[in-house]
Amino acid sequence: MSISLYTTSVPVFKQMLQALSDVLGKAEAHAQDRKIDPAALLQARLFPDMLPLVRQVQIACDFAKSVSSRLAQVEVAAYEDNEQSIAELQSRISKTIAVLDGLTVDQFTGSETREIVLRPGTPKEKKLSGQSYLLAYGLPQFFFHVTTAYGLLRHNGVEIGKKDFMGTY
C-alpha cells in the first residue's frame, strides 16, 4: 500500500495549525483574565538562546506552506515576519491554511521522488527526494516549532493539555 505525500503532509499541517490557532486563542483569554500584556507571552522563551513564541508560530507556518508548496511544485508564498499580536499570528495561520487549501492531490503526483534542493547555490546546499524532504526534514522541523510554541504557553500558565495540542482529527 502506498500513501501520497499530500495525505502525509497537507492534512497534518492543517490539523496542527488549527490546533495552534486554538491554543493561541486560549493564550489570549489567559492574558485577559489575568491582566497580562499579551506581548509578554509573544516574547516568552524557554531559554535566552531560543526564539520567542512569535517566531515559533511564524516558523511553523513557514514550514507548513514551504514544504507543501515545494512538493506540489508551486511558488512558496512569502510572508513578512512582522506580527506583533496574537490576532496577527491568527491571521498568519489562516493565510497558511488557505495556501494549503489551494493545493490539490494531483499536484503531489510523483513528489516522492522529486528532487528538493535546500539552500541552493550555498555551501549548505542539500538535495533530498521529496519523501526524505517531508519525512526527515519538513515534518520534524514543523513539529519542533509547534511543540515549542505549545510548551512556551503551557510554561507561562496557559491551561492547555494534550487534547489542545492534537486538535481535531
Side-chain angles (χ1 to χ4, degrees):
M1 178 178 125
S2 67
I3 186 167
S4 77
L5 291 193
Y6 175 91
T7 302
T8 56
S9 62
V10 172
V12 175
F13 289 138
K14 287 174 58 177
Q15 173 189 332
M16 299 308 295
L17 287 173
Q18 186 57 59
L20 182 57
S21 176
D22 294 345
V23 166
L24 285 172
K26 289 187 175 196
E28 191 166 44
H30 171 82
Q32 287 174 352
D33 291 348
R34 287 164 181 78
K35 300 189 182 354
I36 298 169
D37 181 0
L41 292 177
L42 294 177
Q43 294 307 313
R45 300 169 188 258
L46 292 175
F47 196 76
D49 68 352
M50 289 185 75
L51 296 172
L53 174 67
V54 66
R55 282 297 293 144
Q56 301 297 338
V57 175
Q58 290 167 340
I59 294 169
C61 289
D62 289 347
F63 271 100
K65 71 178 169 65
S66 65
V67 168
S68 299
S69 295
R70 286 187 185 107
L71 290 172
Q73 291 187 305
V74 299
E75 187 174 337
V76 177
Y79 296 168
E80 292 184 36
D81 294 329
N82 58 3
E83 292 83 8
Q84 296 183 15
S85 69
I86 291 174
E88 289 172 347
L89 287 176
Q90 295 284 21
S91 177
R92 186 181 182 117
I93 291 170
S94 294
K95 281 191 325 187
T96 304
I97 291 172
V99 167
L100 298 172
D101 284 339
L103 301 174
T104 67
V105 174
D106 291 341
Q107 290 172 301
F108 285 72
T109 301
S111 62
E112 298 82 6
T113 57
R114 186 171 295 139
E115 183 177 72
I116 306 294
V117 182
L118 302 175
R119 298 183 180 127
T122 71
K124 292 184 176 185
E125 180 176 294
K126 186 163 182 96
K127 296 178 182 181
L128 300 164
S129 70
Q131 181 173 316
S132 292
Y133 173 61
L134 174 64
L135 299 177
Y137 180 77
L139 284 173
Q141 292 277 356
F142 173 76
F143 277 107
F144 173 86
H145 294 286
V146 171
T147 301
T148 302
Y150 169 89
L152 282 164
L153 292 173
R154 186 68 189 104
H155 177 74
N156 280 278
V158 179
E159 294 182 17
I160 50 178
K162 188 174 182 180
K163 284 184 180 180
D164 299 298
F165 175 82
M166 294 292 296
T168 303
Y169 52 94

